Amino acid sequence: MVDYHAANQSYQYGPSSGSNGAGGGGSMGDYMAQEDDWDRDLLLDPAWEKQQRKTFTAWCNSHLRKAGTQIENIDEDFRDGLKLMLLLEVISGERLPKPERGKMRVHKINNVNKALDFIASKGVKLVSIGAEEIVDGNAKMTLGMIWTIILRFAIQDISVEETSAKEGLLLWCQRKTAPYKNVNVQNFHISWKDGLAFNALIHRHRPELIEYDKLRKDDPVTNLNNAFEVAEKYLDIPKMLDAEDIVGTLRPDEKAIMTYVSCFYHAFSGAQKAETAANRICKVLAVNQENEHLMEDYERLASDLLEWIRRTIPWLEDRVPQKTIQEMQQKLEDFRDYRRVHKPPKVQEKCQLEINFNTLQTKLRLSNRPAFMPSEGKMVSDINNGWQHLEQAEKGYEEWLLNEIRRLERLDHLAEKFRQKASIHEAWTDGKEAMLKQRDYETATLSDIKALIRKHEAFESDLAAHQDRVEQIAAIAQELNELDYYDSHNVNTRCQKICDQWDALGSLTHSRREALEKTEKQLETIDQLHLEYAKRAAPFNNWMESAMEDLQDMFIVHTIEEIEGLISAHDQFKSTLPDADREREAILAIHKEAQRIAESNHIKLSGSNPYTTVTPQIINSKWEKVQQLVPKRDHALLEEQSKQQSNEHLRRQFASQANIVGPWIQTKMEEIGRISIEMNGTLEDQLSHLKQYERSIVDYKPNLDLLEQQHQLIQEALIFDNKHTNYTMEHIRVGWEQLLTTIARTINEVENQILTRDAKGISQEQMQEFRASFNHFDKKQTGSMDSDDFRALLISTGYSLGDAEFNRIMSVVDPNHSGLVTFQAFIDFMSRETTDTDTADQVIASFKVLAGDKNFITAEELRRELPPDQAEYCIARMAPYQGPDAVPGALDYKSFSTALYGESDL
């Protein structure tokens, strides 16, 4: 650089006036076209000239001091052109032609012309400013020339949102001071008089330097001095104006204020770049953090749901029957609690998990991130497989429980019947073996022998009559064995004992008959009346015992028809009672006849009838018992008839409700299908309509609760079939769960379309056009289309498709190779390639700004530039930097940035 100030130390300073005769090209010209023309014919307002002189002088010195010199009088110190050329070299960083050393006027004019030529070479059009005017110390022209230099080198490059330099600087000031009370920057003169705007700019970037809340709007001098002193002391911005000059002027000079403010802009431009870079990084990190939280939530929910399924399936697959009805009924109650209480929340969790997964994948696509792959075994398909296994295990479980309860009920009934018949038989056989083993015939008289023979014949008749009961006992025991009765061992033991005893009685009976018949030849007659009595009394007595047994017999029915059959049979039995009563009277008449003959012939009868133990008292007693049991049986049958009528009422009540709820669920499923395909109005309208529809469905839940209550009453009444409806509670439950899941998925699809529309910038009209096109080619109206229909849709939208290009598109819209394309995948594809999203390169560039152009960044820099949580997020994930320029603690932000977009692994 040429040592200009060495040849320029003897110039004097004097008063001058300023002018603005500069113009420019490009964005500079745009700015100058918007400025008021510099008044070249009139003197500046004295106050404005004073402010320009101070400001421009200070601005020039802020650059000249870098070359070790300064000016004191702006219109005198630039007259020889030396410091003017030096100023241009400092602010441009370029070399100017070598100045002439002479002190003659021509030398000065030549030097100033070199400076003016350099300014013109930068695209600035100088109007009415000549070297002679500068050399002659024309203050107005000198100030105009300096303003032109300030515009070109300090203000021209300021642009916010493609505005001109002045508008860009003003917009920057407005945005930075927007949060501050009492600050309203509308221009570069009046808006700055109270000093609050200067203080707000400093506080916004360096809050530790200014106590803004302590400043008062009514003390502008203090405010201005505070801002100027702080800027000079801490920001290296020289004091360019006096507070009194600004406050004492009705309208401060706009160019002086702009020059001063531009210094603040340049002082903070580095911070602005860092802030922009930090904001971009924070945005990217916030997306990643939110996505990681969603991934963690998915993993946790998936683990919990899979664990619940893992625990539940063995319980549902456990088909080991219990021994008692009470235990099986408890299992049935546990299953009802599972269906009503435990499973519905899990259905909602599964649905919500699928919704969260789809939303997460949508957000990842919209933020240009790789798709989320859950941990092994926790994919949505894994959960669906587990759920399918659960429902397979669940299928038939309730039916198995009811069948087991029915089987145990049948077993209990048979077991009780077995015990009752066995007890009756055992009571009858008690003492029979001892009686058959008697040898009384050896000392009996002929009449006694004949009586014994007749008595034995009566016993054989009685024995034969009991044969049927023994066979019934054995048949019941066999059925209990076939039905796997838990106490079959004791039943078999008792049955075997009865059968063995029966065989023994048969053998003893045969032996005794042989003995009696052997001696019968030695005996004569026996009282025929007693014999006839015994023969008729025995079967009649057996009939009464059978009748009492039948009247006390337990019964189990499940329908009105069955109980009416029992009532009909009982009525038929009652119709036989008059004949039975006549038989009883005939038998008693035989006994009375025997007594009459004995009395008339003075025959003394010894004891009871020798041929039978069935006395008239026994017959009358049992007949009275039969008479008592008949009305009791009537009452029991009528109670059962009432119970079956109640059960029929429960069936009809459930069927009435089920025949309403079932078709309602089916109708709603069909309506949702139509709504998801038609989708009229805006997406927000559709979402609102679907949510209202969802609320109407949820409001219908009390109807299902009522049906559940009716179903529970049916199960508690052990009702196993219902001919009045084709709908079971299981069908209703499954339909309800599918209905809730379908409406939730449809709502989620619209929400994801809104996310896609907003992120991709798709208009409502475009979205409706996409929907109309999709519906047109969705031939089956299922909400998805096959590859042939999708190809036709693409062609209709203007795509020229070869096989390779179409296969590429299909791999994007159908990554799972299902052969189907959903509407969500279609709109993702239509908007993906035109969307402006963050990229890894943009994030790397932002980190490079924070790192001061280094290839690495330190933890201290991250903590200084980013919010605490996001700084620590980066530090925890960034790998150490391994480059040749690495320093201790250096972190590799490039690999971290590419990993955010799935281009490499952290």
Side-chain angles (χ1 to χ4, degrees):
M1 181 179 291
V2 178
D3 186 5
Y4 293 98
H5 64 278
N8 187 27
Q9 297 182 1
S10 61
Y11 289 100
Q12 301 297 314
Y13 309 104
S16 64
S17 61
S19 65
N20 182 4
S27 61
M28 181 66 181
D30 294 340
Y31 168 71
M32 292 305 294
Q34 297 174 25
E35 286 293 291
D36 295 332
D37 290 338
W38 192 277
D39 187 350
R40 305 184 184 283
D41 301 321
L42 301 174
L43 291 176
L44 287 172
D45 181 285
W48 289 4
E49 180 181 348
K50 180 180 179 183
Q51 291 171 20
Q52 285 187 17
R53 190 180 290 276
K54 286 182 180 180
T55 304
F56 293 177
T57 300
W59 184 86
C60 292
N61 285 334
S62 69
H63 294 286
L64 287 172
R65 67 185 179 185
K66 299 174 185 177
T69 187
Q70 65 177 16
I71 63 171
E72 293 186 19
N73 191 315
I74 196 166
D75 47 0
E76 286 293 331
D77 292 355
F78 286 137
R79 291 177 62 183
D80 61 1
L82 294 176
K83 286 189 177 182
L84 180 58
M85 294 178 70
L86 179 61
L87 174 64
L88 291 172
E89 283 197 351
V90 171
I91 62 177
S92 69
E94 300 179 25
R95 295 296 296 271
L96 270 69
K98 185 176 180 180
E100 299 182 11
R101 294 294 183 178
K103 295 184 180 182
M104 297 176 64
R105 177 178 175 82
V106 65
H107 298 138
K108 296 177 183 180
I109 290 174
N110 288 338
N111 286 338
V112 172
N113 274 326
K114 290 178 181 180
L116 296 179
D117 290 342
F118 179 79
I119 294 172
S121 72
K122 295 301 179 183
V124 179
K125 183 178 180 182
L126 299 173
V127 180
S128 302
I129 298 179
E132 293 82 358
E133 295 169 308
I134 304 303
V135 173
D136 291 340
N138 185 321
K140 183 176 181 180
M141 293 300 175
T142 302
L143 290 174
M145 177 189 67
I146 297 301
W147 173 241
T148 299
I149 293 172
I150 292 171
L151 282 174
R152 173 59 183 85
F153 294 101
I155 298 178
Q156 176 182 327
D157 294 334
I158 298 174
S159 178
V160 178
E161 296 184 356
E162 301 181 358
T163 61
S164 67
K166 178 180 178 182
E167 291 172 346
L169 184 59
L170 185 63
L171 181 56
W172 178 80
C173 295
Q174 290 171 340
R175 287 185 175 178
K176 294 300 180 181
T177 60
Y180 294 88
K181 61 182 181 180
N182 297 327
V183 177
N184 182 17
V185 177
Q186 298 297 326
N187 49 55
F188 285 110
H189 40 80
I190 301 300
S191 297
W192 303 84
K193 281 191 69 173
D194 58 12
L196 291 178
F198 284 108
N199 282 278
L201 281 179
I202 297 172
H203 184 269
R204 179 64 181 271
H205 296 90
R206 297 288 299 276
E208 76 278 6
L209 301 179
I210 299 287
E211 293 183 292
Y212 187 83
D213 291 338
K214 294 184 178 181
L215 301 177
R216 302 200 326 269
K217 187 174 180 64
D218 59 358
D219 191 4
V221 173
T222 301
N223 297 340
L224 289 165
N225 282 330
N226 180 68
F228 296 163
E229 290 168 4
V230 168
E232 187 170 40
K233 182 176 180 180
Y234 297 103
L235 304 178
D236 199 27
I237 298 174
K239 186 176 182 181
M240 298 183 178
L241 290 170
D242 291 325
E244 292 76 11
D245 292 341
I246 296 177
V247 174
T249 305
L250 182 62
R251 182 176 183 271
D253 180 64
E254 185 177 52
K255 297 173 179 58
I257 297 296
M258 279 183 67
T259 301
Y260 212 157
V261 172
S262 70
C263 294
F264 283 86
Y265 175 88
H266 290 295
F268 295 132
S269 61
Q272 178 71 18
K273 292 179 181 178
E275 179 182 350
T276 301
N279 288 339
R280 178 182 292 276
I281 292 170
C282 288
K283 174 186 173 185
V284 171
L285 295 179
V287 170
N288 256 58
Q289 289 172 309
E290 180 184 2
N291 290 341
E292 285 184 4
H293 288 317
L294 291 174
M295 293 174 189
E296 291 168 2
D297 289 342
Y298 175 90
E299 292 282 341
R300 176 178 54 77
L301 289 174
S303 297
D304 292 346
L305 186 57
L306 288 170
E307 175 62 18
W308 179 80
I309 293 173
R310 185 192 63 77
R311 293 196 315 268
T312 305
I313 287 176
W315 174 66
L316 292 171
E317 290 178 339
D318 179 14
R319 304 294 170 90
V320 177
Q322 302 299 311
K323 294 181 178 180
T324 66
I325 290 179
Q326 291 74 21
E327 291 173 318
M328 290 304 295
Q329 284 177 333
Q330 182 58 51
K331 288 177 76 70
L332 180 60
E333 183 62 30
D334 293 342
F335 180 74
R336 285 201 297 259
D337 286 343
Y338 158 78
R339 288 310 307 264
R340 290 196 311 264
V341 178
H342 302 297
K343 186 183 178 185
K346 297 303 178 183
V347 173
Q348 295 300 318
E349 287 179 16
K350 176 177 176 292
C351 178
Q352 190 60 47
L353 192 68
E354 294 175 359
I355 289 173
N356 291 351
F357 180 84
N358 292 335
T359 301
L360 173 59
Q361 298 294 36
T362 298
K363 289 185 175 181
L364 289 171
R365 288 195 303 272
L366 295 178
S367 58
N368 202 24
R369 303 301 196 277
F372 168 55
M373 290 296 294
S375 302
E376 184 176 357
K378 297 179 183 178
M379 297 285 290
V380 172
S381 59
D382 296 321
I383 294 171
N384 287 333
N385 290 337
W387 193 265
Q388 186 177 12
H389 190 185
L390 174 76
E391 293 186 331
Q392 288 174 349
E394 182 181 311
K395 185 178 182 181
Y397 185 74
E398 186 176 24
E399 181 180 356
W400 172 77
L401 288 173
L402 294 174
N403 287 336
E404 277 300 308
I405 290 174
R406 187 182 298 178
R407 184 182 70 82
L408 290 174
E409 183 185 40
R410 171 69 175 162
L411 285 175
D412 282 355
H413 173 71
L414 287 174
E416 182 60 29
K417 193 169 186 177
F418 172 84
R419 286 190 288 271
Q420 188 181 74
K421 289 184 176 294
S423 297
I424 293 173
H425 177 76
E426 288 165 348
W428 178 83
T429 59
D430 184 40
K432 292 295 189 291
E433 286 189 23
M435 182 270 291
L436 291 172
K437 291 178 179 179
Q438 292 180 91
R439 303 182 69 84
D440 52 347
Y441 53 85
E442 294 179 351
T443 58
T445 63
L446 181 61
S447 61
D448 291 335
I449 289 298
K450 289 187 177 291
L452 288 176
I453 290 176
R454 301 296 184 269
K455 181 179 180 180
H456 189 70
E457 289 175 351
F459 172 76
E460 285 182 327
S461 176
D462 200 9
L463 185 68
H466 278 271
Q467 175 70 32
D468 183 63
R469 182 179 290 114
V470 173
E471 291 175 355
Q472 289 178 10
I473 291 171
I476 293 171
Q478 179 63 29
E479 189 171 358
L480 288 171
N481 280 319
E482 290 173 355
L483 293 175
D484 196 22
Y485 182 55
Y486 77 94
D487 200 22
S488 292
H489 174 72
N490 290 331
V491 170
N492 292 336
T493 301
R494 190 172 183 181
C495 181
Q496 189 62 47
K497 182 178 178 181
I498 289 172
C499 291
D500 292 344
Q501 186 186 42
W502 184 256
D503 291 338
L505 286 176
S507 178
L508 289 172
T509 300
H510 180 72
S511 298
R512 184 170 176 82
R513 168 171 279 281
E514 287 181 344
L516 290 172
E517 288 177 348
K518 185 178 179 180
T519 59
E520 186 182 17
K521 295 177 182 179
Q522 303 171 6
L523 303 176
E524 294 186 357
T525 57
I526 195 166
D527 189 349
Q528 291 298 318
L529 290 174
H530 280 181
L531 181 58
E532 184 180 358
Y533 173 89
K535 287 184 176 180
R536 293 182 69 173
F540 185 71
N541 181 65
N542 189 63
W543 175 86
M544 287 192 296
E545 287 181 349
S546 295
M548 289 189 291
E549 182 179 346
D550 290 341
L551 289 171
Q552 297 177 85
D553 190 20
M554 297 174 62
F555 56 83
I556 178 171
V557 296
H558 295 96
T559 66
I560 286 287
E561 291 77 14
E562 290 177 353
I563 189 61
E564 288 177 350
L566 290 179
I567 292 174
S568 175
H570 182 62
D571 290 341
Q572 186 176 359
F573 166 76
K574 288 193 294 183
S575 68
T576 66
L577 290 179
D579 292 338
D581 191 36
R582 286 190 288 272
E583 175 67 10
R584 179 184 65 85
E585 291 177 350
I587 292 171
L588 294 177
I590 293 172
H591 177 73
K592 289 178 181 179
E593 180 65 15
Q595 286 184 329
R596 186 189 66 77
I597 294 173
E599 290 174 356
S600 65
N601 293 283
H602 306 287
I603 298 172
K604 187 177 181 180
L605 296 175
S606 58
S608 59
N609 190 324
Y611 303 120
T612 181
T613 59
V614 181
T615 65
Q617 292 78 17
I618 290 175
I619 289 175
N620 287 332
S621 174
K622 290 185 177 179
W623 179 255
E624 185 179 352
K625 180 67 173 177
V626 169
Q627 294 294 96
Q628 293 172 352
L629 289 174
V630 168
K632 289 183 179 179
R633 184 71 168 183
D634 287 335
H635 180 70
L637 290 172
L638 289 175
E639 277 191 340
E640 182 62 29
Q641 185 181 39
S642 176
K643 174 185 174 183
Q644 290 304 322
Q645 288 171 345
S646 174
N647 288 354
E648 184 67 9
H649 172 71
L650 290 177
R651 288 188 183 96
R652 292 181 182 276
Q653 179 178 264
F654 175 83
S656 175
Q657 182 72 1
N659 289 337
I660 294 173
V661 173
W664 184 89
I665 290 175
Q666 184 175 356
T667 299
K668 292 302 176 185
M669 286 290 292
E670 294 171 356
E671 289 177 358
I672 292 172
R674 288 196 300 271
I675 291 173
S676 65
I677 292 173
E678 294 170 0
M679 289 297 182
N680 296 319
T682 67
L683 290 177
E684 285 74 9
D685 293 340
Q686 297 168 19
L687 184 61
S688 175
H689 178 58
L690 285 170
K691 288 186 175 179
Q692 290 176 359
Y693 204 84
E694 183 182 39
R695 285 194 292 274
S696 71
I697 291 174
V698 173
D699 290 342
Y700 196 77
K701 181 63 163 56
N703 293 282
L704 269 85
D705 295 339
L706 174 60
L707 200 61
E708 285 282 6
Q709 294 171 7
Q710 295 169 350
H711 179 64
Q712 183 167 349
L713 292 176
I714 282 180
Q715 289 193 332
E716 290 171 351
L718 296 178
I719 299 172
F720 302 109
D721 53 14
N722 193 340
K723 64 183 180 181
H724 304 297
T725 181
N726 292 325
Y727 292 99
T728 66
M729 196 63 232
E730 177 65 21
H731 293 152
I732 298 294
R733 290 175 187 141
V734 171
W736 178 254
E737 291 169 2
Q738 290 177 347
L739 179 61
L740 291 178
T741 300
T742 300
I743 187 64
R745 285 174 175 164
T746 305
I747 288 173
N748 179 246
E749 178 182 291
V750 177
E751 289 173 339
N752 283 342
Q753 290 175 22
I754 292 174
L755 279 175
T756 302
R757 181 200 66 191
D758 294 343
K760 304 292 187 178
I762 301 173
S763 68
Q764 182 62 38
E765 290 74 20
Q766 286 177 305
M767 186 64 74
Q768 290 176 343
E769 182 180 349
F770 289 159
R771 169 55 77 182
S773 298
F774 188 88
N775 288 345
H776 177 75
F777 288 93
D778 182 11
K779 305 297 186 183
K780 299 177 182 178
Q781 300 294 295
T782 60
S784 60
M785 61 180 69
D786 59 27
S787 59
D788 291 338
D789 290 340
F790 182 62
R791 180 191 287 268
L793 171 57
L794 290 179
I795 292 173
S796 74
T797 59
Y799 275 81
S800 178
L801 296 174
D803 288 342
E805 175 62 11
F806 180 71
N807 291 335
R808 182 193 70 80
I809 294 175
M810 282 299 295
S811 68
V812 173
V813 299
D814 182 24
N816 296 324
H817 306 293
S818 65
L820 296 175
V821 180
T822 65
F823 180 66
Q824 182 65 41
F826 168 63
I827 60 174
D828 283 347
F829 167 75
M830 293 300 289
S831 56
R832 181 180 292 110
E833 297 181 357
T834 59
T835 302
D836 182 18
T837 59
D838 292 314
T839 64
D841 289 340
Q842 290 174 325
V843 176
I844 291 172
S846 297
F847 272 118
K848 191 167 187 177
V849 171
L850 300 187
D853 283 338
K854 300 191 300 294
N855 291 321
F856 59 84
I857 195 167
T858 65
E860 180 181 357
E861 289 171 331
L862 286 170
R863 292 189 177 104
R864 183 178 69 239
E865 300 293 347
L866 299 179
D869 61 330
Q870 294 186 332
E872 299 305 324
Y873 177 85
C874 293
I875 293 168
R877 288 163 173 75
M878 282 187 181
Y881 176 68
Q882 304 293 341
D885 54 339
V887 300
L891 300 173
D892 188 349
Y893 60 77
K894 292 184 178 178
S895 63
F896 171 76
S897 300
T898 55
L900 289 177
Y901 292 86
E903 298 176 20
S904 66
D905 295 329
L906 282 175

